[in-house]
Amino acid sequence: MAAVLLLAVGGVFAVAETDTDTEGGESDGFSGKPTGPYYNVRLWEWADGMCESMASLKALRADSVKEADRLRGKAGDPASERESGSVAATYLRSASEALEDISRDFGAVDSLTRIPDTERLRAAYAREIDRVRPEAVKLADADGLAGLAARERIGRAERVTSLVASIKEPDPSWDHLIHRDGTFETAANSPGCLAVRQAERERRSEPPEPEPPLLPAADGTSVAACADGACEVRITKPATRVEVRELTLEVDRDDTEVTVRHSYPSGGAVRVNLSGEGARGTFGRGGGTTVTVELKAMNEGNAVLGITSSR
């Protein structure tokens, strides 16, 4: 039995044919033969989920291209390589988390059983994401990254950028189906798809975000001022080496946390994570120099460390 459903959309009535009784199971509420004017809740819900998932994948691809460029440190420059190693670790975490989220998003999109191309498109995206996701997650494992040298972290990140770049578009693609099939043309005008396109236009027209303000520090960015055992320095790079008397501190900074690490000549290391103003860490050993590092301030672009020492 069929019924005609009148729906008010933006002040205009639209017509959709729905099945109220079917043999062998429930209807998915979609005839598969849209005629204008046309509106279908299930189709728009499907399209909303697809457009949002595809937008997340597009953002990950763009970020991976940008990160691949950043990872290319100067050959033979240990400081540059170490900075790239810190960038690599941050990217590995964010890319693996993004792939997990995108996989869940595509998996949550309901299939429309009467339009096979909708499920083929969704399943093709899901397969491609799940093809690369397990390896990317494994490469980003925090325990595995902890003991790796910068060069090894960079190698892992380069592998993940390659994996992301290898994700193929389904054939036929979403754009191809829009031009071939009126159902997909209707789907492309769902509220979620329109919102995604509007957000993309706004991002393209927005001016670049201003750089975070520089935080005041008595010694500026001159880590050389720490050599005598006392300084207040501003850390702007993701990775910085600081010499304090006879101790060497390796400082990694991201937008929310500073990690300070000291390795002992005889083996072993001490690592302290500073994530709040006033947080402190102490390094050294009995009978020698002891160094205390305090996180005095930080924002998305820089952190200020107060460093003192005693013998």
Side-chain angles (χ1 to χ4, degrees), residues 15-257:
V15 181
E17 182 181 355
T18 65
D19 289 341
T20 57
D21 187 20
T22 59
E23 267 188 47
E26 296 181 357
S27 167
D28 62 8
F30 183 61
S31 70
K33 298 179 180 178
T35 57
Y38 184 79
Y39 172 80
N40 181 271
V41 174
R42 289 288 308 278
L43 179 62
W44 274 9
E45 287 177 348
W46 174 87
D48 286 351
M50 287 294 294
C51 282
E52 289 162 7
S53 301
M54 290 187 296
S56 297
L57 177 57
K58 182 178 179 181
L60 174 60
R61 283 171 165 156
D63 184 59
S64 293
V65 170
K66 180 178 68 175
E67 292 303 317
D69 291 335
R70 291 180 64 191
L71 289 171
R72 298 187 183 97
K74 298 176 182 178
D77 182 350
S80 178
E81 186 172 275
R82 185 167 170 274
E83 181 174 335
S84 293
S86 179
V87 170
T90 300
Y91 166 73
L92 283 164
R93 289 192 294 269
S94 64
S96 65
E97 290 170 1
L99 285 168
E100 295 273 29
D101 291 342
I102 295 169
S103 176
R104 281 194 294 269
D105 290 344
F106 275 117
V109 176
D110 288 335
S111 63
L112 300 178
T113 57
R114 295 190 181 186
I115 317 176
D117 277 343
T118 62
E119 176 56 17
R120 279 196 287 267
L121 186 71
R122 185 208 66 80
Y125 271 116
R127 281 195 303 271
E128 278 295 286
I129 296 297
D130 289 341
R131 176 179 62 81
V132 305
R133 179 177 55 85
E135 183 178 355
V137 171
K138 184 178 179 180
L139 290 169
D141 177 67
D143 292 335
L145 286 175
L148 293 182
R151 183 64 258 171
E152 293 172 298
R153 292 184 181 189
I154 293 169
R156 287 193 178 200
E158 288 173 339
R159 173 58 182 158
V160 173
T161 62
S162 297
L163 287 170
V164 172
S166 76
I167 296 173
K168 298 175 183 177
E169 286 291 325
D171 184 18
S173 68
W174 169 273
D175 289 339
H176 182 80
L177 287 167
I178 287 175
H179 291 97
R180 191 187 77 181
D181 189 327
T183 299
F184 281 86
E185 186 177 359
T186 300
N189 290 308
S190 73
C193 291
L194 292 174
V196 166
R197 293 202 293 275
Q198 178 62 29
E200 179 64 24
R201 285 193 292 269
E202 290 174 357
R203 279 195 297 273
R204 288 198 298 265
S205 63
E206 286 178 356
E209 291 188 8
E211 292 290 326
L214 293 177
L215 299 171
D219 296 303
T221 58
S222 177
V223 294
C226 302
D228 64 359
C231 63
E232 183 182 84
V233 292
R234 181 170 58 248
I235 306 296
T236 57
K237 296 181 179 180
T240 306
R241 186 184 297 268
V242 182
E243 306 286 345
V244 186
R245 297 191 186 277
E246 68 269 22
L247 272 66
T248 299
L249 303 178
E250 297 176 350
V251 181
D252 292 334
R253 180 198 62 77
D254 61 24
D255 293 342
T256 61
E257 186 176 74

